[in-house]
Amino acid sequence: MKIKLYDRRDYITGEVVRYSEIKKDNKSTTFDNMDGYAFEHFCADVLTKSGYQNVQVTRGSGDQGVDIISERDGIKYAVQCKNYSQPVGNKAVQEIYAGMRFYHCHVGIVMTNNSFTPSAAC
């Protein structure tokens, strides 16, 4: 299993953006202000715009930690979305690994608006 971790990617340009480089505008709503449901749909939109196919948001309860299922180039992806005010811990990585197995996916991804703790990034 291979996991790639980024601080954040601009979902239009694909460039890595450090959290400190993001300029917030009081006139616009950012994904930091979204509830969990809206953030999951935002992430699904990012995946669709990035070329993933069959992007489906899973039901809220009993989803085994997987929020989105998608495919790209014959590879099936399980995605967990974490809209957190603090760095994401290793529990999210453990959950997506288990959910990936449950949905028979090849790759597990944790998408977040924040960064990862050192234990999650190992």
Side-chain angles (χ1 to χ4, degrees):
M1 180 173 92
K2 189 180 228 182
I3 299 174
K4 292 183 179 180
L5 303 174
Y6 302 99
D7 283 338
R8 189 176 309 197
R9 284 205 182 265
D10 181 293
Y11 77 97
I12 296 173
T13 66
E15 294 180 12
V16 175
V17 179
R18 303 274 182 236
Y19 187 76
S20 60
E21 296 173 2
I22 294 174
K23 295 177 183 172
K24 297 193 177 185
D25 183 348
N26 291 336
K27 297 177 186 175
S28 64
T29 303
T30 66
F31 48 80
D32 290 335
N33 298 325
M34 295 178 182
D35 64 16
Y37 177 81
F39 187 67
E40 289 172 8
H41 283 82
F42 170 81
C43 290
D45 187 46
V46 169
L47 292 170
T48 300
K49 288 178 180 178
S50 298
Y52 289 79
Q53 299 94 29
N54 302 322
V55 178
Q56 300 173 7
V57 177
T58 61
R59 65 186 192 280
S61 62
D63 63 8
Q64 304 298 314
V66 175
D67 298 316
I68 302 170
I69 304 280
S70 64
E71 296 177 26
R72 185 171 171 172
D73 300 327
I75 298 171
K76 192 172 177 184
Y77 294 84
V79 181
Q80 185 176 68
C81 306
K82 293 293 186 187
N83 191 0
Y84 280 2
S85 59
Q86 299 292 320
V88 177
N90 65 337
K91 182 180 179 203
V93 176
Q94 293 168 343
E95 288 172 350
I96 196 59
Y97 183 78
M100 180 183 76
R101 296 293 183 208
F102 180 81
Y103 285 102
H104 307 289
C105 294
H106 302 102
V107 177
I109 298 172
V110 178
M111 293 179 75
T112 183
N113 64 321
N114 212 305
S115 59
F116 294 87
T117 63
S119 63
C122 292

